[in-house]
Amino acid sequence: MTDTKNLTQLGTNVEAPQSPEAAVLETVPFSRGDGPPAIVRFTCPEFTSLCPVTGQPDFAHIVIDYAPDTLLVESKSLKLFMTSFRNHGAFHEECTVMIGRRIIAATKPLWLRIGGYWYPRGGIPIDVFWQTGAPPEGAWLPDTGVAPYRGRG
């Protein structure tokens, strides 16, 4: 059974953090076992942050794939972390890479990639892709499933 005694957010009523810096990413132990590494995917199709210049909301579909080593991201803490960006003003590129780096700092995975598919503002969608290196050998990496932006056509 997974040891959850150190978790402070799961199973409790927790307020959303006011900033990504204040958010706590919690982890649980993971046993990889033999064979190729597992790939864990988190999809956040309704991600929101703020434009640092105008304060207007920016929306994205975020897809995170990672190969855990000994720690998994606890999903409620990830949800609270992602929600904390609703009050955070930063450009798309900064938000996307910040998410990836925070997960790496918390879990020290074998590998991580993140895709931020940002909805258009000013008529231009911005897609941001970042990863830690080559994917682990033998790992199954499905397509992210996010279609390129095609507007109304």
Side-chain angles (χ1 to χ4, degrees), residues 31-44:
S31 178
R32 283 193 323 126
D34 296 332
I39 300 296
V40 177
R41 173 170 289 168
F42 290 109
T43 304
C44 184

Side-chain angles (χ1 to χ4, degrees), residues 11 14-15 21 35-36 39 41 47 49 54-55 68 71 101 115 123-124 133 135 153:
V14 180
E15 297 275 329
E21 295 79 17
I39 300 296
R41 173 170 289 168
F47 182 83
S49 66
T54 66
L71 296 171
R101 289 187 179 180
I124 300 175

Side-chain angles (χ1 to χ4, degrees), residues 37-97:
I39 300 296
V40 177
R41 173 170 289 168
F42 290 109
T43 304
C44 184
E46 298 177 349
F47 182 83
T48 308
S49 66
L50 299 175
C51 172
V53 177
T54 66
Q56 294 294 309
D58 286 324
F59 302 95
H61 185 144
I62 305 286
V63 179
I64 303 159
D65 291 322
Y66 76 107
D69 188 13
T70 61
L71 296 171
L72 297 170
V73 175
E74 191 284 309
S75 61
K76 181 176 181 180
S77 73
L78 179 68
K79 178 178 70 172
L80 291 165
F81 171 61
M82 300 296 272
T83 299
S84 73
F85 280 85
R86 290 182 179 170
N87 301 315
H88 182 71
F91 290 114
H92 304 332
E93 298 85 351
E94 181 184 345
C95 289
T96 304
V97 174

